[in-house]
Every structure is written in C-alpha cells, then in structure tokens.
Amino acid sequence: MKNNPFLFLATVLLLPTFLNAQNEGKKPISQPLVSHIYTADPSAHVFNGKIYVYPSHDIESGTKEDDEGGHFDMKDFHILSMDKIGGKVTDNGVALDIKDIPWAGRQLWAPDAAVKNGTYYLYFPVKDKEDIFRIGVATSKSPVGPFKPEATPIKGSYSIDPAVFKDSDGSYYMYFGGIWGGQLQRWKDNAYQGKTNNPQKGEVARLPRIAKLSADMKSFSEEVKEIKILDEKGNLFQEDNNDKRFFEASWMHKYKGKYYFSYSTGDTHNLCYAIGDNPYGPFTYKGIVLKPVQGWTSHHSIIEKAGKWYLFYHDVQISGKTHLRNVKVTELKYNADGTIQTIEAYK
Ligand code: FUB
C-alpha cells in the first residue's frame, strides 16, 4: 500500500466512511466503558474474581496521519477495573509511562497482562530507538501497577499486539504479530529483513506468531513459530482473502477443550476466529466474531465471568476519529456445535 497512494487513500480514508455509512441510523449495542479518556485494544482478564481491562490509551498527540499508523502515538497505559460487567468502571491512573521504558522510541501500542505467583506482568509493543517494533515486559505486585519495565525488550520478540494465554496445564504462551504498520512483513524466519513492501495480492498471507514463555515470564523458552490458519479445505489463506486472513490483534481462549484463535482482518475490519486442538494450531477458520465497527481498527478480547462469555472491543463512537477510540463490552454466545454467534455492533 505504501507504494500505491491511491490504494492507500481508498482503503484508509474511503472504506471506513463506507463502513460507517452502513451503520448509519443504527444504534450501538453497547456504550463506552469510560469517556473521560480514549481507550482501545482492550485485553480483559479476570484476576482474583475481578475484571481488569488492559487497553491502549489513545491521545491526540498532533502526529500526522500516515500509512504506518504514525498517528497512533500513545505514551502511557491506564488500567480499568470493575467488579462485574455493567458495574462501576475505575480508571486506576498511569500504570506505565513510555518515558520510563529505557529502550523505547515511540508508539506504545496494544498491551496484554498475565499473573503468576502473585506477580503481574504487563506485555507491550513499542518502537525501539531504531523505529522497530519490539515487545517489552514490566512487572508489579498489583494488577493495576505501577509497572516497572525491564531494561531491554523480550529477546527474540518483534512486531505488535502480544496476547498471553495461560493453558490449563499452567503453561503460558504469547501470540503476537501485525502486518502493515505492525511490521510483521519485515520478518522472515525470525530475522529482520529491513523495510519491505506490504504483503501483495497473490502471496500467501503472513502468519501470526507464537512462543511459549519461560518460567520467569520475561523471556521465550523456545524459538518463535508461525501458526497456521487454514480454510475449510486445509489451505493457507492468500493475501487476496483479506476478509479472512490474519492482519493483527491476536487473542486465544479455550472453550470446551478447544483452542479458539481470534484476530482482526485489518483492512476489511472483521474480527474472525479459527479453532484448533492445541495452542500451536493449526487452526481452522470458522467465521466472524464481530462485524466491522465504526473506525478503521478492530481489536478485542474474550473472557468468561460468572458462567457467561464476553467480548471486549472498541469503536470510535465518542470521537468519530480512527485514532481516538473507546472500549466497550458485550455478551458473546456460542451455538451448540461450539461455533460463535456473530455479533453486529449496531442494530
Ligand atoms: O492501537 C494501535 C494498533 O491499532 C493496535 O496495536 C492494533 O491492533 C490496532 O488496534
């Protein structure tokens, strides 16, 4: 897209207008969780019976919009908490500031969190001083911080959107990656290729990544691997299948013994899911979790609380601007065969 300014204009500027027009006259099914700050990319977890949401904190930094998402120029994280869905939402203040991350350059993007033995781990992508996205980790004794970052990024990490999943056997895995501004296309066999073109039609779509975390939760215990998302015939998606192929925003949850890998298709704005039998996949594409929301990006998490399942997501209801988003939550339901009922964010 970078090499084709007309395609860039069409997809980045015109498509959201079209999608937003599709939703015109309809009402959102849920309201922003908070409105005093802009929040996005909600990674929700239940820790000690309470719900914690680890979102990006969108701001109007004044950075000009470009085709690598330079206007998503976030500088800190605020963690939200609530006792129950629909209950009072607390903003717990600044949990981590970019100025306290020694190796960070710019753009603190979508985080996630995990807990182990009473220590909370905040995982975050940020561009390093060479403008290359890496994934860092910070720790705290409290789920809402303040978090103390490690001096260097996680060795072997790259790209964006970490999602950390704890399996039933106590193992932790990190899923990550995002194309275009998320730079995943710059990496091949875990080696940096330098600035490359965005993936082109006719190519096999880029695949999300996984690595098991070490016991210390601050490093990978194995080499980063690709995870396969297959169509119903067992084939990998092509870049042309951009309404189904992986773009960014990985999430993993387990339901009735199956592994559900969900993700955003980016330029076609779907949140999709694929099911597998183990954390590494392969995963077979099953359908859409959430139809396109107002705005350009779509990013989510899925949790269970008190016997019900919930989808946390974002749109731009408050601002109408792609880079100033607000997080929301709605119930998610399964069919008897384990497939997910597609959610329409506006009715
Ligand atoms: O918030 C910045 C980026 O936008 C995230 O990392 C992507 O998932 C998209 O939501």
Side-chain angles (χ1 to χ4, degrees):
M1 188 169 72
K2 197 164 185 200
N3 305 326
N4 187 337
F6 297 109
L7 187 59
F8 168 66
L9 272 180
T11 51
V12 174
L13 302 178
L14 301 179
L15 191 56
T17 311
F18 169 72
L19 292 168
N20 294 342
Q22 298 269 299
N23 291 322
E24 216 160 88
K26 296 182 182 172
K27 289 204 169 66
I29 57 167
S30 54
Q31 292 300 313
L33 288 182
V34 292
S35 55
H36 66 293
I37 55 171
Y38 293 112
T39 53
D41 309 323
S43 291
H45 291 275
V46 179
F47 294 142
N48 299 320
K50 204 167 161 156
I51 300 166
Y52 295 91
V53 185
Y54 297 81
S56 299
H57 176 200
D58 285 352
I59 52 165
E60 189 63 273
S61 73
T63 308
K64 240 179 108 209
E65 181 162 347
D66 61 37
D67 56 343
E68 290 190 341
H71 52 310
F72 293 93
D73 191 15
M74 296 84 105
K75 300 193 189 306
D76 65 19
F77 293 122
H78 285 229
I79 292 151
L80 309 177
S81 56
M82 65 196 98
D83 289 328
K84 57 177 187 186
I85 300 292
K88 179 173 175 274
V89 180
T90 303
D91 170 2
N92 296 280
V94 176
L96 178 65
D97 194 303
I98 196 167
K99 70 174 165 31
D100 297 322
I101 305 167
W103 55 273
R106 61 176 181 142
Q107 294 181 284
L108 207 44
W109 281 14
D112 193 19
V115 62
K116 185 178 172 186
N117 300 334
T119 299
Y120 292 85
Y121 298 85
L122 180 68
Y123 299 94
F124 55 88
V126 68
K127 283 180 179 165
D128 65 15
K129 298 197 193 293
E130 270 76 57
D131 229 28
I132 300 171
F133 268 118
R134 305 274 180 186
I135 296 169
V137 58
T139 54
S140 174
K141 282 292 170 193
S142 161
V144 297
F147 285 87
K148 188 175 169 2
E150 294 295 300
T152 52
I154 295 176
K155 195 164 174 241
S157 73
Y158 52 88
S159 196
I160 59 165
D161 291 358
V164 173
F165 165 72
K166 182 184 181 188
D167 205 352
S168 324
D169 67 356
S171 304
Y172 292 80
Y173 300 89
M174 182 187 287
Y175 297 85
F176 63 93
I179 60 172
W180 294 14
Q183 303 180 344
L184 187 63
Q185 66 281 353
R186 297 187 187 183
W187 293 83
K188 191 162 180 273
D189 301 328
N190 297 328
Y192 189 64
Q193 309 293 305
K195 279 195 179 184
T196 51
N197 287 335
N198 286 331
Q200 303 291 310
K201 286 191 169 182
E203 293 177 6
V204 174
R206 302 299 194 277
L207 297 171
R209 306 295 205 264
I210 184 174
K212 192 172 184 175
L213 291 174
S214 308
D216 70 1
M217 299 289 279
K218 296 175 182 171
S219 54
F220 296 151
S221 70
E222 61 184 8
E223 220 190 319
V224 171
K225 297 175 176 59
E226 292 182 340
I227 60 171
K228 291 190 171 126
I229 305 170
L230 306 175
D231 66 15
E232 63 283 357
K233 291 187 181 141
N235 298 318
L236 289 171
F237 288 117
Q238 301 284 306
E239 187 54 28
D240 311 53
N241 308 120
N242 64 340
D243 59 338
K244 292 183 178 145
R245 64 92 170 87
F246 174 79
F247 187 101
E248 63 186 3
S250 298
W251 190 257
M252 170 57 65
H253 77 280
K254 211 171 170 181
Y255 177 74
K256 294 194 173 169
K258 295 280 186 192
Y259 294 79
Y260 287 61
F261 178 74
S262 44
Y263 57 95
S264 166
T265 61
D267 54 335
T268 51
H269 317 279
N270 291 321
L271 281 179
C272 294
Y273 73 107
I275 300 181
D277 292 321
N278 69 77
Y280 294 95
F283 300 96
T284 302
Y285 177 87
K286 289 291 172 188
I288 296 177
V289 178
L290 179 69
K291 292 264 189 82
V293 291
Q294 291 171 338
W296 199 93
T297 66
S298 199
H299 192 123
H300 70 301
S301 58
I302 296 168
I303 61 163
E304 185 185 15
K305 176 85 168 101
K308 285 188 170 184
W309 288 85
Y310 296 95
L311 174 79
F312 286 76
Y313 65 104
H314 69 223
D315 67 9
V316 297
Q317 184 182 326
I318 298 175
S319 76
K321 294 182 181 171
T322 54
H323 63 298
L324 299 176
R325 301 159 289 180
N326 44 255
V327 299
K328 297 181 159 190
V329 62
T330 191
E331 193 176 346
L332 175 145
K333 292 183 178 156
Y334 297 89
N335 297 308
D337 64 0
T339 53
I340 291 175
Q341 294 180 9
T342 300
I343 297 167
E344 301 257 9
Y346 314 92
K347 285 203 167 140

